[in-house]
Amino acid sequence: MKLFLDTAHLTEIQTMWDIGILDGVTTNPSLVAKEGRKFDDVLKEITALGIPSVSAEVVATDTDGMLAEGRRLREIHPSIYVKCPMTPAGLKATKILASEGTRVNMTLVFSANQALLAAKVGAAYVSPFIGRLDDISEVGMELIEDVVQIYRNYSFATEVLVASVRHPIHVLEAAKIGADICTMPYAVMEKLVQHPLTDIGLARFLADWQKVPKG
Ligand code: E4P
């Protein structure tokens, strides 16, 4: 499973990229707004790191506007995936952009039928938002199970990108189901690395090493 960071914060991206566990980055208008910087500048800096997949979202709500924004975004760097929302206009824009060779990440997906439509119009990624479903007392991970099964049934090439991840158990469950990608906040990716027994074990090894005769 590929691991993406859901952030527009360059330092966070750089840190995980340097460790070597990062496969891509997803952004959205809210994450970009938090940085207080120009969208294009942020995208140029992220892509300059060599990140192979960087999702950048359109904000137009009509097809023509999405097409114009999507075409402009993809020109910024070849690793950019254009995010279009799951609306009729977004589906139409996705089909056209995909036919032009642009890789589209269909976002704001909350049902298996929406995911089926994303695959049918040729989206490269589909992004079901599981945390926001959990927030309204629906089990978000059940949606991932359904989408993975449907895509397998028909051998769709669209990759399932698990989004709106809140904690490491989401990542674990997504991997067990066989989702293609999981995007998560920096704090969640940090927690994937950590285990208290690793820290205790390392401290004990280092303490015992002091007792080994040297020289
Ligand atoms: C994914 O592409 C989205 O940006 C993201 O996962 C949304 O997460 P949130 O529900 O925590 O805002």
Side-chain angles (χ1 to χ4, degrees), residues 64-179:
D64 285 346
M66 289 182 200
L67 289 174
E69 278 183 53
R71 288 170 183 147
R72 195 189 68 75
L73 287 169
R74 76 179 177 207
E75 292 308 319
I76 292 176
H77 195 278
S79 66
I80 289 197
Y81 284 62
V82 175
K83 274 174 104 174
C84 290
M86 174 49 70
T87 60
L91 285 163
K92 196 172 168 187
T94 298
K95 187 159 191 172
I96 296 167
L97 288 168
S99 74
E100 295 171 354
T102 298
R103 292 166 300 184
V104 178
N105 175 354
M106 283 221 85
T107 190
L108 291 167
V109 168
F110 293 95
S111 79
N113 280 334
Q114 288 181 324
L116 175 63
L117 299 180
K120 286 184 71 69
V121 295
Y125 298 157
V126 66
S127 289
F129 278 32
I130 58 165
R132 294 191 195 185
L133 283 170
D134 289 353
D135 289 344
I136 59 160
S137 304
E138 287 187 30
V139 182
M141 205 50 75
E142 288 178 0
L143 173 57
I144 301 303
E145 285 175 7
D146 287 348
V147 177
V148 167
Q149 183 187 328
I150 290 166
Y151 283 13
R152 280 193 190 136
N153 288 348
Y154 298 100
S155 302
F156 283 126
T158 306
E159 292 185 79
V160 180
L161 191 164
V162 181
S164 188
V165 161
R166 304 271 197 257
H167 49 70
I169 300 294
H170 277 154
V171 182
L172 176 65
E173 289 176 344
K176 284 163 77 175
I177 292 167

